[in-house]
Amino acid sequence: MVSQAQILQWVQIFASEIEQNKEYLTQLDAAIGDADHGINMDRGFKKVMSQLPTLANQDIGSILKTVSMTLISSIGGASGPLYGTLFLKASTVTTGKQELTTQELFQLLQAGLDGVLQRGKAQLEDKTMVDVLSPAVAAFKQAVEEGKDTLTAMQQAVAVAEQALENTKPMLAKKGRASYLGERSIGHQDPGATSCYLMLRSLLETIAGDR
Ligand code: ADP
Ligand code: MG
C-alpha cells in the first residue's frame, strides 16, 4: 500500500532530487540540447513545492492533478507538457483515492507512461524519457504479476531504470532538440531519461521509508 502522505512525500523527494541535480541535468542537456533541462525542472518543482500546503488534505488524484497543472504552466520546452501529461494521466486513475494497492500504483505508472507516449509520440530507442519509463513500468508489471509486494516491485523497476538510463548513451536521438544533432547525439546520456530515473528512485525512497 502507498498512502496519500507517501505520495506527498514522493513529490517532495523528487523536487529536492531535481534541486540537487539541477546542474547535472543542465549539463546533460548542454551536450545534446539547449542546456535548460535542470533549470526547467527546478523551476516547475519549486512552484509545486510552493503549492504543497494546499495539498495536505487532498486525495491522491487531486494532488497529482495540481502537480500536473503547475508543471504545465511553469515549465517551458518539451519536458513541461510531457511531465504535465504524465502527472495528469496518473491523476485520472487515482481520483478520490487515499491509498493505492500495488496494482493501483502500477496503473498510476502505466497511465503516466501512456500519457508521455501519446503526447510525445516517441518510440523505444528514440533516446527520450520513454527509454527509462517504458522498461521500468514493464518490470513493475512483471513483479506485480509474480505477486511481489510494492517495495520489491519498485526495487525491480528502479534497478531496470538504472540500466535503461545507461542504455540511452549509445542511442541516436530521434525526438526533441537532441534529434537535430543526428549522429552527434550518440555517446551522451539523455537528460529527460535521467530526470525520469530520479522520479522513480524518489518513489522507491518514499516506499522504502529511507527518508
Ligand atoms: P527542451 O528540449 O524543449 O529544451 P528539456 O530540455 O526540458 O526541453 O527536455 C528535454 C528532454 O525531453 C529530452 O532529454 C527528452 O528526454 C525529452 N523529450 C523530448 N522530446 C520528447 C518526446 N517527443 N517524447 C518523450 N520525451 C521527449
Ligand atoms: Mg532543453
Side-chain angles (χ1 to χ4, degrees):
M1 281 287 186
V2 176
S3 66
Q4 180 264 12
Q6 284 178 303
I7 295 293
L8 280 174
Q9 200 195 16
W10 171 34
V11 173
Q12 271 174 283
I13 293 178
F14 186 31
S16 84
E17 284 286 334
I18 290 293
E19 187 174 51
Q20 283 164 39
N21 290 284
K22 181 180 171 184
E23 291 305 320
Y24 174 53
L25 293 171
T26 293
Q27 276 168 26
L28 291 172
D29 196 34
I32 57 169
D34 56 353
D36 66 354
H37 187 58
I39 296 163
N40 285 340
M41 294 295 287
D42 192 52
R43 186 194 312 121
F45 276 90
K46 284 225 159 64
K47 259 273 164 59
V48 169
M49 289 310 286
S50 75
Q51 310 268 7
L52 220 57
T54 67
L55 302 177
N57 297 313
Q58 297 199 17
D59 67 84
I60 293 170
S62 303
I63 293 166
L64 297 175
K65 179 134 192 228
T66 299
V67 171
S68 161
M69 294 303 150
T70 309
L71 295 181
I72 289 172
S73 66
S74 62
I75 309 187
S79 54
L82 289 166
Y83 272 100
T85 307
L86 186 159
F87 281 98
L88 183 65
K89 297 289 177 186
S91 81
T92 60
V93 295
T94 53
T95 308
K97 294 193 192 300
Q98 295 295 337
E99 57 181 15
L100 305 175
T101 63
T102 313
Q103 178 64 30
E104 287 168 336
L105 183 61
F106 163 66
Q107 283 161 3
L108 181 164
L109 294 170
Q110 181 70 56
L113 165 63
D114 290 345
V116 173
L117 288 169
Q118 279 164 22
R119 178 87 207 195
K121 309 257 183 307
Q123 312 270 330
L124 272 177
E125 310 225 339
D126 281 355
K127 199 181 183 94
T128 71
M129 293 165 61
V130 170
D131 291 308
V132 158
L133 288 174
S134 180
V137 173
F140 193 94
K141 182 178 191 207
Q142 194 190 330
V144 173
E145 283 167 1
E146 289 167 359
K148 304 273 165 60
D149 63 15
T150 311
L151 177 58
T152 308
M154 203 60 221
Q155 281 166 337
Q156 293 184 0
V158 169
V160 165
E162 192 173 0
Q163 182 59 53
L165 177 57
E166 187 67 25
N167 293 347
T168 65
K169 287 182 184 168
M171 290 176 188
L172 188 148
K174 297 197 193 68
K175 280 279 183 285
R177 287 179 193 277
S179 67
Y180 309 157
L181 291 182
E183 301 268 320
R184 281 183 293 137
S185 66
I186 293 173
H188 301 281
Q189 183 174 304
D190 182 63
T194 309
S195 56
C196 282
Y197 168 70
L198 294 174
M199 180 183 76
L200 295 168
R201 201 180 64 184
S202 301
L203 181 56
L204 172 59
E205 276 190 39
T206 309
I207 292 166
D210 284 350
R211 290 199 196 186

